[in-house]
Amino acid sequence: LNGLQLSTFNNLNENSKTDVLNYLIANDFSEEAKDFAIYAVHILNNNSEANPLIGADCRSFEYSFPPGALQRGCAVEDFNHTFYTAGVRPNGSPYYGEIDSIIPIIYFTGPNSMTNGRSANLTAVAVTLAIRATDIYYGANPDISATMLGYFFRDALIAEMAAFGGSVSTTKEPFPISKPVPDTSQVSWA
């Protein structure tokens, strides 16, 4: 949390937590950013071990553009994320849920007009936006199945990648990739 220890964050009152999250998303005044800030506070209040603030790390996306390829491409192994939900039902009963999205290997492509680094950075942004959209969706639909949440996440990834001319697939390799990179986004609060 930008230098703020999780234990310190967890000891803050609800308004202070919201202030911290508002600071973290200070450059994004969209409704999605506000919804995500509220979502993150709810999750952290219900599970101090959860990490709803993790996004994608551009180091997970090592693009290459071999001779003869039509687009830049990369492969990521163990592309995993845990989605959380928490709240109170209309009858007053609290709920909490977690769904793991586990993708053994995933392929990303970027336009050949971009550098490998630019493709990696934009992919990290796209994946983070897809994760946050799915987090908000799960928060609003706490009883959704893991399969349906997976479909939502897939569709969000496709849309976010398409926004900059990229694509994503779990089956179609853009060209032979001999050494996929492990997902580096899965870090702990340590």
Side-chain angles (χ1 to χ4, degrees), residues 1-22:
L1 291 173
N2 289 353
L4 180 67
Q5 296 296 322
L6 180 62
S7 59
T8 303
F9 183 84
N10 284 337
N11 290 327
L12 296 175
N13 65 37
E14 193 82 14
N15 288 337
S16 296
K17 287 179 182 178
T18 302
D19 289 343
V20 168
L21 290 168
N22 282 335

Side-chain angles (χ1 to χ4, degrees), residues 39 83-86 89 95-100 133-155:
Y39 156 83
F83 296 100
Y84 305 94
T85 189
R89 297 190 186 285
Y95 63 87
Y96 177 83
E98 296 181 12
I99 292 179
D100 290 322
T134 307
D135 283 334
I136 292 167
Y137 182 76
Y138 188 29
N141 299 280
D143 298 318
I144 195 166
S145 70
T147 300
M148 294 308 294
L149 190 69
Y151 290 148
F152 185 92
F153 183 43
R154 179 202 61 205
D155 292 346

